[in-house]
Amino acid sequence: MALPSSLPYSTIKSTPPHLSAFNHQPLTLPATYRSTTTTNRRFSKLTSFRCSSSSFSEKHHNNANPPKSDDLVELPLFPLPLVLFPGATIPLQIFEYRYRVMMQTLLQSDLRFGVVYSDAVSGSAAGVGCVGEIIKHERLVDDRFFLICKGQERFRVTDLVRTKPYLVAKVTWLEDRPSGEENLEELANEVEVLMKEVIRLSNRLNGKAEKEESRDLRKNQFPTPFSFFVGSTFEGAPMEQQALLELEDTAARLKRERETLRNTLNYLTAASAVKDVFPSS
């Protein structure tokens, strides 16, 4: 059974990585964890999606030469109404002419491009994004493409190189700073426990049995990649996801996710209590 329509948040899906979320109103979070000023920079108002051939250096494909935060490279950007996180996968369908041309170029040179969140209302694009690497593609007879892309490094846009025929920008790499004395393992464990409880209550409200895969959410991930995984599950709240993507501290990201999950758990607990009293609701 779905949540009563009077509740402010939509039902959360029962299994990761699609812990749906918060479609009806923005999340309410403590001011301490709200978006930072420097990481919310926006660049250029975009009226359409544009991309370009990549000048992304081959050295970034080599694990022996990981990208450094002071590297400056040109990268084609693909504004989308979603947020891509490192380690997450997204399906895309390429059907417009400019995107088909982009794909032809990428498949012959570099399989990577930058994904940046673009607000559907304002048309503005975020200044921090994530590299998407094409890990699987299918070309159709009419030159459309089906893609599976996986998130890689995060980046910050420093300058626009050109907007026509495709959008290309200079970017620098974004990495988390050391978290000092914070106990990241403890924070990650707290977040995992909250996620499990959210999934359990969501399943209960929807009359679904608990699934085996929800019992081990971390799957031996270190705290930083786990924090990205958690952020990728907040699918219905792109602005919150963007804020999480822009944070440069794993502890801060986990704390913010912990607070978000606690808020969600409070709503689900209340909904569960209502269901117990009024089973036909």
Side-chain angles (χ1 to χ4, degrees):
M1 181 182 295
L3 291 175
S5 59
S6 59
L7 288 178
Y9 293 158
S10 65
T11 305
I12 293 181
K13 296 182 183 179
S14 58
T15 58
H18 302 297
L19 230 107
S20 165
F22 329 113
N23 292 326
H24 293 56
Q25 66 182 39
L27 297 175
T28 302
L29 295 168
T32 307
Y33 298 141
R34 287 182 186 153
S35 300
T36 58
T37 55
T38 58
T39 57
N40 283 332
R41 295 181 299 175
R42 305 286 173 182
F43 65 90
S44 184
K45 188 169 183 178
L46 306 171
T47 57
S48 60
F49 295 166
R50 299 185 177 91
C51 279
S52 176
S53 59
S54 174
S55 61
F56 198 66
S57 173
E58 286 294 329
K59 71 179 180 177
H60 298 302
H61 288 282
N62 189 343
N63 291 333
N65 295 287
K68 299 178 181 179
S69 59
D70 57 352
D71 286 348
L72 186 65
V73 300
E74 290 185 8
L75 186 67
L77 301 183
F78 198 168
L80 290 170
L82 56 83
V83 179
L84 177 64
F85 283 85
T89 57
I90 56 170
L92 296 175
Q93 180 180 181
I94 307 297
F95 57 89
E96 292 188 30
Y97 176 75
R98 52 177 165 256
Y99 303 139
R100 299 201 302 265
V101 173
M102 174 197 74
M103 279 300 303
Q104 299 285 358
T105 305
L106 291 179
L107 291 175
Q108 294 176 12
S109 56
D110 195 322
L111 298 177
R112 297 185 173 193
F113 56 93
V115 175
V116 290
Y117 171 66
S118 176
D119 183 82
V121 177
S122 67
S124 62
V128 170
C130 181
V131 172
E133 181 176 16
I134 301 169
I135 58 176
K136 186 176 182 179
H137 72 277
E138 178 184 356
R139 181 174 179 174
L140 306 180
V141 292
D142 58 357
D143 281 340
R144 286 184 297 124
F145 288 88
F146 290 134
L147 308 178
I148 301 294
C149 300
K150 184 172 184 178
Q152 303 293 344
E153 302 88 0
R154 291 177 298 158
F155 61 84
R156 186 188 305 281
V157 174
T158 61
D159 190 25
L160 286 176
V161 177
R162 64 176 182 270
T163 59
K164 295 180 179 180
Y166 313 111
L167 182 65
V168 180
K170 289 183 179 180
V171 305
T172 55
W173 307 117
L174 195 65
E175 299 177 357
D176 276 9
R177 299 184 297 268
S179 295
E181 300 300 319
E182 296 283 357
N183 190 328
L184 296 182
E185 280 294 327
E186 182 177 326
L187 282 172
N189 289 336
E190 288 182 35
V191 170
E192 182 184 23
V193 169
L194 286 168
M195 285 187 71
K196 289 179 179 179
E197 190 63 13
V198 166
I199 292 172
R200 185 188 68 80
L201 279 179
S202 181
N203 284 334
R204 182 176 183 274
L205 286 166
N206 288 281
K208 298 179 181 179
E210 183 179 358
K211 295 187 177 182
E212 186 72 26
E213 62 187 88
S214 67
R215 297 178 184 175
D216 182 15
L217 299 178
R218 281 190 68 180
K219 301 185 185 301
N220 295 319
Q221 292 184 91
F222 288 109
T224 297
F226 179 64
S227 72
F228 290 136
F229 163 73
V230 176
S232 71
T233 66
F234 298 163
E235 287 185 336
M239 295 302 294
E240 174 63 13
Q241 286 185 309
Q242 183 63 34
L244 291 170
L245 184 74
E246 294 180 3
L247 288 174
E248 298 178 60
D249 185 283
T250 300
R253 189 178 303 108
L254 287 168
K255 287 179 179 179
R256 182 164 182 154
E257 291 165 346
R258 181 179 62 185
E259 191 67 23
T260 298
L261 289 167
R262 281 175 175 169
N263 290 341
T264 305
L265 189 57
N266 288 338
Y267 280 103
L268 292 175
T269 301
S272 181
V274 169
K275 182 179 179 181
D276 289 340
V277 176
F278 304 104
S280 60
S281 298

